[in-house]
Amino acid sequence: MTANISSQGVFSGAGTCASQLTIRHPDDWHLHLRDGEAMACVLPATAKQFRRAIVMPNLKPPVTTVEMAHAYRDRIVAALPAGMQFEPLMTLYLTDATTAEEIYKAAESPFVQGVKLYPAGATTNSQAGVSTLARCTAALAALEKTGLPLLVHGEVTDAHVDVFDREAFFIDEVMVPVRRDFPGLRVVFEHITTRQAAQYVTHESRLGSDGRPNLAATITPQHLLFNRNALFKGGLQPHWYCLPVLKREEHRKALLQAATSGLSQFFLGTDSAPHARHLKEMACGCAGCYSAPVAMELYAQAFELAGALDRLEGFASLHGPAFYGLPLNEGSITLEKREWTVPAELPFADGKTIVPFLGGETLPWKLVD
Ligand code: NCD
Ligand code: ZN
Ligand code: ZN
C-alpha cells in the first residue's frame, strides 16, 4: 500500500494539499511500557496507534532472561483492554553476565526480537548495564551468529565527555570497533539525536545476504520537531528532558532529513518513556518523554514540515518490519488535519498523574479513532 493523501484543499506549509492521510498500520520500534499499574495506564495509548512495539527491558530488576521476557510479555497481554489488537515484541537486557546460551535461547524463542545494550549509568535503570563490551564477547558472537539484532543506547558515560557529545563519541569509541570485530552483527542505533549518527547510519549500513540492512536507526518525534532550546524556553522544562538529550538545530535538521529520506535503515521508534508527573517535576527529574498519546500526530507534523508526507508510511510501517524480518501489518490508520488540544495530564499509577508530551498544546494532526 502506498500513502494515500486525499486532497481536500487544506494548505500545508510544504506546498502539498492534504487534509487526510491513510497509511498501513504502523509499529513502534522503541517503547517503554513499564510494569504493573503504570503499564496498564499507558498501554492503551500505544495499542490505539500501533499494532506492534519493541518493548524495552529496563525494568527494575531488568529483563535479562528469556524466561523473564516471557513472563513480562504475558503481563502485557493480560493488561491489554478487551478488543484491542497489539503484539508486544520482547527484548533482553544485556549485562556483563549474559551468556551465549541465553542469546541462543532468545534467538530460538518466537517472541524475543532483540538484545538491548545500555552502557552502565547512561540512562533510566541502566545501573545493571554493560561496564565494557570487552566483557560481552561471547554474547556478541552469539548475536552475530544468530542474526538477532543488538539494540543500542548509543552514549558514552565518561564524566569528561560533554553531555551533548556523548552520542558522537559513542560512534568512534564503541560502534565502529564493535561492528569491525563482529562484522555480521545486526545493529539498531536507537533514538539517534545527532547529524553524526544520521550520517553514520546513512553511509555504513549494508544489505546482508538476506537483503536486509545490517545497521538501522530509530528516531523519536521530539528529536524531529525540537532542538535543545525547548529545554530552557521561559525556564527549565522537565517534560522536554529525555536521553539522549535534545541537540542543536543543525542536528534536528539532519534527523528530519534522514527520517524523510526514504532510506529503509531509518524507522519509527517513539522512545515513549513514562514517568509520573512528580518524578519529572522535581529537583532531580527523570529522563523520558511520554509521547505515546501523540506519537503518530507528531510524526505527521514533522513529515509535513519536510514536505514528505508521502514517505511517512515507509518510515512508520514498512522499514521496521523489513529490518526485523516480520510481516507487514494488515489494515490502516487515518490521520486528519484537525486541530486538537493534548490533555494537560492523565491518570497514572498509585493515584498519581502523568503529563503527556506536549500536554496542553494544540496539534495540527489527529489520529482518527
Ligand atoms: C528512557 C526511560 O525512561 O526508560 N528514558 C529516556 O529519556 N529515553 C530510557 C532510554 O531510552 O534511554
Ligand atoms: Zn535509551
Ligand atoms: Zn528508550
Side-chain angles (χ1 to χ4, degrees):
M1 191 195 294
T2 52
N4 165 23
I5 305 165
S6 67
S7 300
Q8 290 166 23
V10 178
F11 182 72
S12 76
T16 41
C17 280
S19 66
Q20 272 209 344
L21 176 65
T22 296
I23 60 169
R24 186 183 287 270
H25 217 112
D27 303 299
D28 184 351
W29 301 97
H30 182 129
L31 174 69
H32 300 270
L33 280 178
R34 315 305 187 202
D35 209 346
E37 201 190 339
M39 173 176 69
C41 290
V42 300
L43 178 60
T46 287
K48 216 174 128 184
Q49 299 218 343
F50 300 104
R51 256 307 129 71
R52 297 171 291 198
I54 290 273
V55 181
M56 290 295 140
N58 61 333
L59 302 182
K60 275 189 209 162
V63 180
T64 51
T65 65
V66 175
E67 207 179 317
M68 290 171 89
H70 196 175
Y72 184 28
R73 184 182 190 281
D74 287 348
R75 295 197 294 281
I76 297 168
V77 171
L80 199 63
M84 283 193 129
Q85 203 187 326
F86 174 74
E87 189 187 350
L89 308 172
M90 308 309 291
T91 56
L92 298 192
Y93 186 117
L94 186 69
T95 73
D96 292 359
T98 305
T99 62
E101 288 68 40
E102 201 62 43
I103 302 293
Y104 288 120
K105 245 172 99 177
E108 273 163 29
S109 90
F111 52 84
V112 178
Q113 298 294 347
V115 173
K116 184 73 194 277
L117 164 64
Y118 290 102
T123 188
T124 308
N125 297 343
S126 62
Q127 300 86 337
V130 168
S131 61
T132 157
L133 271 180
R135 298 233 169 96
C136 300
T137 49
L140 292 169
L143 286 172
E144 182 181 39
K145 204 161 168 195
T146 57
L148 190 65
L150 179 70
L151 317 182
V152 177
H153 180 110
E155 290 193 289
V156 298
T157 54
D158 293 4
H160 67 268
V161 176
D162 189 279
V163 68
F164 292 98
D165 297 332
R166 285 176 160 195
E167 185 173 282
F169 268 70
F170 185 91
I171 298 171
D172 296 334
E173 292 182 7
V174 184
M175 197 64 107
V176 169
V178 81
R179 293 186 66 243
R180 184 188 57 220
D181 295 348
F182 301 91
L185 196 63
R186 309 192 69 237
V187 177
V188 183
F189 201 156
E190 298 288 343
H191 48 44
I192 60 167
T193 63
T194 57
R195 172 176 49 78
Q196 290 90 334
Q199 283 177 354
Y200 179 73
V201 175
T202 299
H203 298 297
E204 298 302 324
S205 184
R206 303 272 171 270
L207 290 185
S209 51
D210 54 4
R212 298 191 274 157
N214 67 347
L215 173 65
T218 54
I219 310 181
T220 79
Q222 66 267 26
H223 291 99
L224 291 177
L225 285 170
F226 298 98
N227 63 38
R228 65 192 194 179
N229 287 357
L231 278 163
F232 308 109
K233 196 177 167 193
L236 196 56
Q237 299 289 345
H239 297 290
W240 267 266
Y241 174 54
C242 66
L243 289 171
V245 72
L246 292 170
K247 303 294 192 300
R248 286 176 181 276
E249 177 65 4
E250 62 162 304
H251 298 291
R252 186 194 70 81
K253 282 190 179 140
L255 296 168
L256 189 59
Q257 204 280 325
T260 58
S261 64
L263 290 174
S264 67
Q265 61 265 49
F266 294 103
F267 43 83
L268 185 158
T270 62
D271 193 23
S272 177
H275 294 276
R277 176 173 204 151
H278 69 288
L279 297 176
K280 293 282 294 173
E281 299 175 2
M282 69 185 296
C284 186
C286 294
C289 300
Y290 177 45
S291 59
V294 290
M296 284 309 303
E297 285 91 346
L298 294 187
Y299 284 113
Q301 190 176 339
F303 274 64
E304 184 181 43
L305 200 69
L309 277 174
D310 58 331
R311 295 205 164 146
L312 182 60
E313 183 175 58
F315 180 76
S317 317
L318 308 180
H319 301 167
F323 177 86
Y324 281 96
L326 294 169
L328 300 181
N329 292 324
E330 297 298 327
S332 60
I333 60 158
T334 296
L335 290 144
E336 65 182 2
K337 196 84 186 281
R338 170 165 67 81
E339 286 196 348
W340 66 293
T341 302
V342 183
E345 64 179 354
L346 295 165
F348 198 52
D350 303 320
K352 306 290 188 192
T353 61
I354 186 164
V355 177
F357 189 56
L358 294 179
E361 304 279 333
T362 298
L363 302 187
W365 287 89
K366 180 85 186 80
L367 185 78
V368 177
D369 291 330

